[in-house]
Amino acid sequence: MHFDDIFFTSPTTSTAPLTLSQLNGLVREVIELSMPDDYWVTAELASVRESHGHCYMELVEKNDFTNTPVAQARACCWRNTWMRLSPRFSSATGQPLHAGLKVLLRLHANFHEAYGFSWMVTDIDPSYTMGDMARRRQEILQKLKEEGVIDMNKTLPVSPFAQRIAVISSSTAAGYGDLCNQLADNDYGFKFRTQLFPAIMQGEQVQDSVIHALEAVNEQAEMFDVVVIIRGGGSTADLSGFDTLPLAEHVANFPLPVITGIGHDRDQSVLDVIACVSQKTPTAVAAFLIENLTSTLAVIDDCSRRVTRSVTQRMQQERLTLQRIEQHLSSAATLRIMRETNRMTQCQTRLSHAVNSRLQAERNRLSTLTQRLPWLAATVMERERHRLDMLEQRAKAADPANILRRGYSITLHGGKAVCDAKQLKPGDGISIILAEGRVEATVE
């Protein structure tokens, strides 16, 4: 039966109906006849799954503006082909096939009666994916430039005494152990303090896991000098997790210097570009931190030598100065002693003359006082005798007996003189003292 006869035969004819497998077989024949070639196709991987050595993919094409799918298809790469293509792709791009990658695939149309239609992958061009990865990195870097943060972390100085290290790494990574061992066993005996902030360093969870670790470090940023992001194990695969805008923005704006050690000589992630310092391996990061302290120690040693040399020179200069001062001081002291001796001699002479002059003046004054003393004594005695006469007259005038003889009296009550009648009341006994005698009376 011919294919055209089947599709254009009226359902009212007496032709027997086809089974589903027969119909699918006809579809397979049509596809094999009409699409015998391979086609190079660009698509995004929606999912990638390996099973029994085969690789199963979901391909998708998205609208450039809305990011919504406009086409979807299944693809499969059989084991023999996959064992050849997978290592080549990983070696060229530095990562395995995974969801989100844009790829250039050579596809062959395949329709199976039992499983339906799918595209068979016969080849993969890793250069296309590498170009797309590079383009995405450049887009991220351009975005960071527009935001003005691409070099922000690079402007943070690594402390010359950086010894408190926050490490973001997988806890089981060999690189983390290498870093700690090299820091602990350095030739200079430097003491480093490292604290691990565990994170997933491969796969689709890299971005969220590393951002979470950075946020944990930021909560205690004052406890650390630098942040180290390392990926151990030596594998170059799966660096795409470090090429995302959210993670790059976190690192660019981080308040501490960030040192990366997540790649190899031929790999450079976005994080390597924007980090304060980029090293290729965890061991290289440890060497950088040790060298940083070594440089600081060299500066300190150099400063110590210069200070010692300067102090030695200054001490020598001061010693010579002291010797000169000692010589000058001896001469100056002798001269000063001579000057002071002469001055004291002069002072002694003037003092002796002044004492003699004062003594003579006092002798003259005493002689004068001696001559005047009898006259002064007589004058004083006469003046005092006259004053005593005046006091005697005043005392006699104030004598109460003389007052009583002039007719006055003194009234006593309770032994005290009465000066006011209001002090007395009827029945009080009083005594009246007269010039001659005393009268007792009662107040009515």
Side-chain angles (χ1 to χ4, degrees):
M1 179 181 297
H2 194 272
F3 179 78
D4 292 337
D5 295 337
I6 296 174
F7 277 88
F8 294 101
T9 300
S10 172
T12 59
T13 63
S14 59
T15 305
L18 297 173
T19 64
L20 180 59
S21 62
Q22 290 174 332
L23 179 61
N24 284 351
L26 292 174
V27 172
R28 179 174 58 79
E29 291 178 6
V30 171
I31 291 176
E32 289 176 352
L33 291 173
S34 60
M35 301 182 68
D37 301 324
D38 288 354
Y39 304 91
W40 284 102
V41 178
T42 60
E44 181 179 327
L45 295 175
S47 67
V48 179
R49 178 176 60 88
E50 288 190 52
S51 178
H52 302 292
H54 310 301
C55 182
Y56 301 93
M57 312 173 195
E58 291 289 337
L59 308 180
V60 63
E61 178 185 350
K62 296 180 180 178
N63 186 289
D64 292 335
F65 301 99
T66 63
N67 205 37
T68 57
V70 296
Q72 290 179 304
R74 291 183 301 168
C76 176
C77 186
W78 298 128
R79 177 168 48 201
N80 292 338
T81 304
W82 179 244
M83 291 178 63
R84 173 175 52 86
L85 297 182
S86 178
R88 188 182 70 179
F89 183 87
S90 296
S91 176
T93 63
Q95 58 184 314
L97 285 174
H98 61 81
L101 280 183
K102 287 189 176 181
V103 292
L104 177 60
L105 307 173
R106 190 169 71 179
L107 304 177
H108 179 77
N110 178 71
F111 189 89
H112 193 277
E113 289 86 342
Y115 303 109
F117 181 82
S118 65
W119 292 102
M120 306 304 298
V121 179
T122 59
D123 200 359
I124 304 174
D125 186 356
S127 62
Y128 175 84
T129 301
M130 293 171 63
D132 182 68
M133 291 164 56
R135 178 185 58 79
R136 286 197 299 174
R137 287 174 182 161
Q138 289 304 316
E139 289 176 351
I140 293 173
L141 294 174
Q142 183 60 35
K143 178 67 174 177
L144 295 174
K145 285 182 180 179
E146 293 172 357
E147 294 175 357
V149 300
I150 188 168
D151 293 323
M152 187 173 294
N153 197 259
K154 290 183 179 296
T155 62
L156 299 178
V158 176
S159 169
F161 301 96
Q163 294 173 279
R164 303 175 301 168
I165 318 299
V167 182
I168 298 178
S169 173
S170 169
S171 59
T172 59
Y176 172 61
D178 294 340
L179 174 77
C180 294
N181 291 335
Q182 187 161 346
L183 290 178
D185 299 332
N186 65 86
D187 296 335
Y188 302 92
F190 297 142
K191 301 298 181 183
F192 292 90
R193 181 178 68 84
T194 60
Q195 181 174 340
L196 176 65
F197 292 82
I200 298 172
M201 306 306 285
Q202 292 191 27
E204 298 179 3
Q205 301 181 48
V206 169
Q207 171 187 290
D208 295 339
S209 181
V210 174
I211 288 176
H212 178 73
L214 285 170
E215 291 173 347
V217 175
N218 191 38
E219 291 178 357
Q220 45 185 315
E222 69 282 355
M223 301 295 294
F224 301 101
D225 299 314
V226 295
V227 179
V228 169
I229 302 177
I230 57 174
R231 190 174 65 99
S235 173
T236 63
D238 203 10
L239 288 171
S240 60
F242 302 97
D243 291 331
T244 67
L245 182 60
L247 179 55
E249 289 175 333
H250 270 75
V251 171
N253 289 281
F254 204 72
L256 294 176
V258 176
I259 304 174
T260 59
I262 57 178
H264 291 269
D265 290 338
R266 62 187 183 86
D267 302 306
Q268 187 179 47
S269 67
V270 171
L271 245 58
D272 292 322
V273 176
I274 65 173
C276 179
V277 177
S278 172
Q279 299 293 330
K280 291 304 177 181
T281 63
T283 301
V285 171
F288 170 81
L289 292 171
I290 295 171
E291 177 61 27
N292 181 60
L293 279 186
T294 303
S295 299
T296 303
L297 179 61
V299 171
I300 293 174
D301 288 342
D302 181 63
C303 290
S304 176
R305 287 191 295 270
R306 286 190 292 173
V307 168
T308 301
R309 183 168 58 252
S310 177
V311 169
T312 302
Q313 292 175 351
R314 184 60 180 270
M315 290 180 66
Q316 182 64 28
Q317 292 173 358
E318 294 302 323
R319 188 176 292 109
L320 295 175
T321 301
L322 285 173
Q323 290 176 355
R324 289 194 298 269
I325 292 174
E326 183 180 1
Q327 295 172 357
H328 293 320
L329 185 60
S330 177
S331 301
T334 302
L335 181 61
R336 184 61 179 268
I337 290 172
M338 293 176 61
R339 288 177 180 175
E340 293 301 321
T341 301
N342 292 334
R343 190 172 69 84
M344 289 179 65
T345 301
Q346 294 173 2
C347 288
Q348 184 179 6
T349 302
R350 289 197 299 268
L351 181 60
S352 176
H353 177 72
V355 168
N356 292 331
S357 298
R358 183 62 179 270
L359 286 173
Q360 185 59 42
E362 293 300 320
R363 288 193 192 98
N364 295 335
R365 191 170 70 87
L366 285 174
S367 177
T368 303
L369 289 176
T370 302
Q371 296 173 3
R372 295 178 60 191
L373 186 59
W375 178 81
L376 290 174
T379 302
V380 171
M381 289 180 67
E382 182 62 28
R383 185 171 63 246
E384 292 301 316
R385 188 181 295 110
H386 177 71
R387 190 171 68 84
L388 286 174
D389 291 341
M390 294 298 295
L391 290 174
E392 182 180 6
Q393 294 176 10
R394 290 172 61 186
K396 289 179 178 181
D399 188 353
N402 293 330
I403 296 174
L404 292 176
R405 279 193 289 270
R406 291 202 302 268
Y408 294 97
S409 63
I410 299 175
T411 302
L412 300 176
H413 174 65
K416 295 181 180 180
V418 177
C419 298
D420 189 350
K422 293 179 180 179
Q423 293 178 254
L424 303 174
K425 60 182 181 290
D428 287 343
I430 58 175
S431 298
I432 302 172
I433 301 174
L434 304 174
E436 296 291 338
R438 181 187 185 105
V439 177
E440 300 291 333
T442 300
V443 180
E444 293 183 358

